[in-house]
Each structure stands twice: as structure tokens, then as C-alpha cells.
Amino acid sequence: MPAAVEVMLDDRTASPRETVILDGSPLRLSTLSLIGRGLLHVVPCEVRLVEVAKAYEAVRGAVEGGRQLYGVTTGVGAIKDRSIALAASADRTDLVRAHHFGVGEPLPPEIVRAGIAIRVNTALSGMVGCSPELVRAYVAALDADIVPVVRRLGSIGAADIGLMSQVATALAGEGQVFHRGVLKSAEEALREAGLTPLVFRLKDALSAVSTNALTVASAGATLIEAAQLIRVAMATGSSAAAALRASPEPWRVATRIGSPREAAAGTVLMAVADAFPWAPATHLHDPLSLRMMAQIFGASAGVVAFAAASVEAATARPDDNPVVIDGIPMTSGGSLPLELALTLQSVGPGLAHLARNILNRIILIANGGRGVLPANLVSEATDATGFGPLVKLAGDLASRVMADLAPVSAMPLLIAGGMEDEAMFAPLIVERLNRQIASLKMLTAIEALLAAQGLDMQGLKPAGLVGMVYDSVRSEVAFLEKDRALSLDIETIERNLFQPALLETVRNFYESITTDELIFSR
């Protein structure tokens, strides 16, 4: 929760906003999300700004004492040994311009706002060496709802240089921004907001571009979506299990002998079954995709939670070079947060296991059988083909999730005259996770559609979480009696499953069952 609260009127939403005071401590993903959506007013801690000023003066003292500092009194990359005659008051904005090379579709404004807040927060560690004026310029832009247009391609994950430079040039009055949601020039937006273009001095230029703040912000937003996906997938999976009349017994066992996350997932699955007690089909053993739901959901949620903790830690970790330690500017390798990249990369296999699990249940329910459902989920008395062909779409979506599994963090790269020979490619990792999540959302829609059909064919009236999923389907998509086009049905169900109101209801249901925040918080 915010460190302090101040009620103020947000001009864009005409509603009170709370204030979060940034002090260099780790930020929760939920806090980042609120900042990104413009629902929190960001204020830097004045005590920490004193530490920022001390670090800046340490840089100034080193320069005035004749010490060479990378990117401050020297060039960068391959020209690191080229000295720059630099007065402490010299304008270094050209260094920002030199790194403005991002291309592609713009990042969402929510990501850019959150990235700016992360840069402010890490600067407040007092170890970055930038000026308090740079921190205040970031905060003033957020206050004025000035969001730079940041084209997403251009970062290899060893500092978002090609992306953060687009933020920095906007502070200098160059490039494009969204000002209160309207696209305009940065110069015009600053003038309308009564702000003066920033002049980058000493280490401000390097501090403004050489940070992974936007990657961290993007990762945080992606993990929130991944957590939401897993919650919905547990709901649709439970619905399919009900339609298949699976035995809840293995879930109960998981609550006793499973890992903590498996036990939490088992607890939720049992609560679902208790709220809607269906009669299990007469089989000694159900297929593994039903029996092992607690293990698969628990593990998938676990890797997301582990990655979320890593992202939250990164919101407070200075990743600059150089940094200021104990008043002394020092060279750092912190712009390569490889642990963060590897934890993010581990989410991909977790999502792939989830995709396979959902696909397997889709195949089970579409095939019918088990003594309760006809093949393709249509009456044998009709000539309808039913849902059999739809399994091909499910296979396509699941294969797309699998296709984004190959590790990328260790890909070789040698640039800057051999000086820059390590990278982690976290932006690409996050991009692939987003693609996996998009495919999985559509898979959950297919599972929900087939579950609703299966429940109706048996005359079952679902309650609890299964009832919520059923209602999200049947509110707009009718029972299939004869063949019809399904494309819009599936897209409609996906939209309904992931609307904010249902996401909140599902989350509240889970949190009423278990307090294990490894799975259900953030």
C-alpha cells in the first residue's frame, strides 16, 4: 500500500487519487499497476532526495578533481577511452540523442509511466549519481500526465538504452508524447504544462538512458496478466472437470501431501467441488490432465510468483554504471540483471505445461465418452458435426505457446568494439510471455465453451466458481444444437472471462479460500 495518502482531484478521471511516496524501497506489482494507470500520485521522499544530491555532488567532485568517469567525461561503448573536455555545467543532451534509436509499435502508456516511476525509485537509492533535478523532472512529467511515446524495439536487456532515451529526449522537449491522452510534440506539452525542457548535465544523460526500468515495468505488467490467466484457467479447468465428472479425490490428496503451492491449488479445487458437488463418473482413475490439476496449477502459479518477487526486487536495485558507493563513483556490472531474466524465462515452461493441460482436457471433453457425454458434444440424434473441428484451433493455440519456449537469454552478442559482450534479452523474453498468455486466454475460452455445453447436455445446474464461468459463457453464447460459426463465440467468451469485474470476483473467491499469497496475490 502507499507509504502515505493524500486525497487530491485527478483532472483526467475527476476522482480522488492516493499518493505514493517513493523512497527507494521495493514496489509491489499492484502499486506499479496503479501508477501505470495514473491512479497514484507519485512523490519522491525528500530525505532520499538529499542522498541523491550527495551522490551527484560526489560525481561533480570527481569530475572537478580531474577523474575520468565513464559516460561523463568519456565517450561510451567503443569510444570509452575518448576523453571529453567537460565543465560541470556542460550540456550532455547529445548523449541522450545519440541513443534515441527505438522503432516499432509504442509501448502502452501504462508501461511508460511505471518505468518512469521505477527510474525515480532506483535513483532515490542515492547510488545512481544523477541530480535531484532529473528526479523532479520525471515526477513533474507524471504530475502533468505527459507520457513519452516509446517505440518498443531497441533493448537487448543490458539497460534499455534505446527505449529510455525516448523518455529522456521528451524531458528535453524533443520527440512525441501523450499529454492527457492527446498525441503532441514534447515541446508543446511541456509548454502547456508550464515545464522547462531539461538540460542534462554531468551524469544525468547516462542515468536517464542506462537503466532497465522499462523492461522491469513491462515484466511486472506481464506477470500480473499471467497471474490473472492462471486464476481464470483454474476456473475453466474446474468447469471442464465438472462436465467430465472427474473425481475430486486427487485434489484432496494434494492438500495433504503436495508442496505448498500444490496444496493451495488443491484447496481451491476442493472448494470449487464442494460448492458444486457433481457425481464422479465410474472410473477408478481419471486421466492425468484431471488428476494432476493441483500439481500443474500449483507449479505454474509458483514460477509466476517467483518471477514476481524478482521483478519487485528490481524496482529498488540501481542498475547503473557507474554508481556511487560510500561517496565514491565506481564501475558496475549491474546493468545485467541476469537473475531477473532467468526467473522470467522460467515462466515460459510453466505456461507451456498449463497449455498442454488445458489442451488435454479440451480433447477429453470434445471426444465425449466416459459414459456421460457424446462425441463432439452434440446429440447423436442430429446430423451436426459439433465441436470436434474446434480442437484444431486448440491445438494451434497450444503449439504457439510451445513455440516460444526456446531460451534466448544466452544468445551471443558482441558490440561496441568488443566492450559490450553480454546481454540477457529480457525484453524479448517478456514479449514471448505476452504471446503465450494471449494464446492461453483463447484456450481458456474454448475450455469454458465446451464445459458449458457438457454441463447443459447433462442437465447440470452449476454453482459457485463453475457457475460464474458458465454464466460468462451463456450470457452471450447459446447452447449449440446445430452447427454454427464459432469464431465470434470464442472471442466473446474470452472477453467475458477477462473483464475486470469477473477477474476481481474470481480473485476474491480464491482469497476467501486460501491465504497463500504465493499463488493468489500481486
Side-chain angles (χ1 to χ4, degrees), residues 27 38 52 117 282 376:
L27 298 171
V52 172
T282 55
N376 292 1

Side-chain angles (χ1 to χ4, degrees), residues 458-514:
Q458 298 173 74
L460 299 175
K461 303 299 181 185
L465 193 62
V466 176
M468 294 180 201
V469 173
Y470 178 87
D471 290 343
S472 74
V473 174
R474 289 292 178 247
S475 63
E476 295 190 65
V477 176
F479 178 81
L480 189 142
E481 296 183 8
K482 60 181 181 179
D483 292 329
R484 66 171 184 259
L486 296 174
S487 299
L488 291 180
D489 287 353
I490 297 163
E491 292 175 351
T492 297
I493 294 168
E494 183 204 10
R495 183 181 66 248
N496 289 349
L497 287 174
F498 290 92
Q499 61 170 307
L502 185 62
L503 290 174
E504 186 67 18
T505 300
V506 170
R507 175 173 175 155
N508 290 341
F509 173 83
Y510 289 154
E511 291 185 343
S512 71
I513 303 303
T514 176

Side-chain angles (χ1 to χ4, degrees), residues 362 364-369 372-390 449-458 474 478-484 486:
I362 287 172
L364 279 176
I365 196 169
N367 283 347
V372 294
L373 293 171
N376 292 1
L377 296 180
V378 288
S379 170
E380 296 174 359
T382 73
D383 294 329
T385 300
F387 289 103
L390 182 56
L449 173 61
L450 298 187
Q453 184 80 4
L455 291 167
D456 281 341
M457 296 200 79
Q458 298 173 74
R474 289 292 178 247
F479 178 81
L480 189 142
E481 296 183 8
K482 60 181 181 179
D483 292 329
R484 66 171 184 259
L486 296 174

Side-chain angles (χ1 to χ4, degrees), residues 9 68 207 260 295:
L9 192 65
Q68 292 281 68
S207 299
Q295 285 76 16

Side-chain angles (χ1 to χ4, degrees), residues 92-252:
R92 295 295 327 265
T93 307
D94 275 349
L95 183 64
V96 172
R97 298 185 182 103
H99 291 88
H100 190 304
F101 51 74
V103 296
E105 290 296 315
L107 289 171
E110 295 82 2
I111 300 300
V112 179
R113 287 193 194 95
I116 291 173
I118 291 169
R119 172 71 290 189
V120 168
N121 199 52
T122 54
L124 290 168
S125 67
M127 300 180 185
V128 169
C130 67
S131 68
E133 286 70 30
L134 177 61
V135 174
R136 292 192 177 99
Y138 282 129
V139 173
L142 291 176
D143 279 348
D145 195 19
I146 294 174
V147 184
V149 174
V150 178
R151 291 166 177 81
R152 67 178 64 233
L153 301 180
S155 173
I156 59 175
D160 295 327
I161 291 173
L163 309 187
M164 288 300 294
S165 59
Q166 299 174 65
V167 177
T169 52
L171 297 183
E174 301 174 17
Q176 293 180 307
V177 301
F178 290 103
H179 183 206
R180 301 189 182 280
V182 178
L183 181 65
K184 59 184 67 173
S185 72
E187 180 182 19
E188 179 184 0
L190 291 177
R191 183 174 63 252
E192 290 178 356
L195 301 177
T196 302
L198 182 67
V199 176
F200 293 84
R201 307 190 193 282
L202 288 176
K203 191 175 176 288
D204 278 353
L206 191 61
S207 299
V209 302
S210 188
T211 172
N212 293 290
L214 285 170
T215 290
V216 175
S218 297
T222 295
L223 293 176
I224 287 175
E225 274 205 72
Q228 292 171 342
L229 164 70
I230 291 170
R231 296 183 194 113
V232 170
M234 288 188 73
T236 61
S238 299
S239 300
L244 289 162
R245 288 166 51 184
S247 170
E249 191 172 274
W251 310 337
R252 190 181 304 279

Side-chain angles (χ1 to χ4, degrees), residues 338-367:
L338 183 57
E339 181 179 316
L340 172 64
L342 294 177
T343 58
L344 289 171
Q345 204 161 244
S346 72
V347 174
L351 296 180
H353 280 278
L354 185 61
R356 185 179 68 183
N357 183 238
I358 297 172
L359 175 64
N360 288 341
R361 281 194 303 276
I362 287 172
I363 293 171
L364 279 176
I365 196 169
N367 283 347

